[in-house]
Amino acid sequence: MTFTLDNAEHGNQVSGAMFDAMLATLQEEANRPSARVLRVRARGKVFCTGRERAGRDVESLRNEACRIIEVKRSLRTSPLISVAEVQGDAFGFGFGLAILCDFVLVAEHASLKFP
């Protein structure tokens, strides 16, 4: 199974729709296993420069936080062997996503950091 971050014009930031798609796929895989390995990769020059921050009030910020926690929990509890292919910079959530994986391959020129 492959997750490809494909939002290069915005630094491959993970959008709400991307979070929802990842979560749905991980939950479906948990209910009906069909893969053994999860490959997390990105298109373009960077791996991921963070996540979309759309929340503007307490409730929407809480919902964003819950979605992030659920994606991380689903990834960590999945029986899939996860491999992140970090071909470029990974900042914030992108760095967090990479280090959640079981194996992380990082390009020599890539920077990894939290803002």
Side-chain angles (χ1 to χ4, degrees):
M1 175 186 312
T2 301
F3 286 170
T4 303
L5 304 177
D6 192 6
N7 186 13
E9 62 276 2
H10 297 286
N12 283 329
Q13 287 187 349
V14 177
S15 67
M18 293 165 74
F19 271 116
D20 292 341
M22 286 190 282
L23 187 55
T25 302
L26 288 169
Q27 289 173 341
E28 182 178 319
E29 182 63 25
N31 293 331
R32 287 178 290 153
S34 62
R36 298 200 49 166
V37 175
L38 171 61
R39 178 183 180 198
V40 182
R41 59 191 217 74
R43 296 198 196 289
K45 294 183 179 186
V46 300
F47 177 72
C48 178
T49 59
R51 64 177 175 83
E52 174 184 73
R53 290 183 166 89
R56 300 291 179 242
D57 56 49
V58 172
E59 188 62 29
S60 61
L61 290 170
R62 183 175 290 120
N63 289 338
E64 282 183 16
C66 288
R67 184 172 23 196
I68 292 167
I69 291 166
E70 190 58 32
V71 167
K72 289 180 177 183
R73 181 181 296 123
S74 294
L75 183 58
R76 291 307 306 155
T77 60
S78 170
L80 296 168
I81 298 167
S82 55
V83 180
E85 299 173 8
V86 182
Q87 87 290 2
D89 295 345
F91 303 152
F93 179 78
F95 183 20
L97 178 62
I99 62 175
L100 281 171
C101 291
D102 297 311
F103 298 95
V104 184
L105 306 170
V106 181
E108 189 173 324
H109 66 277
S111 292
L112 307 170
K113 61 184 173 182
F114 286 107

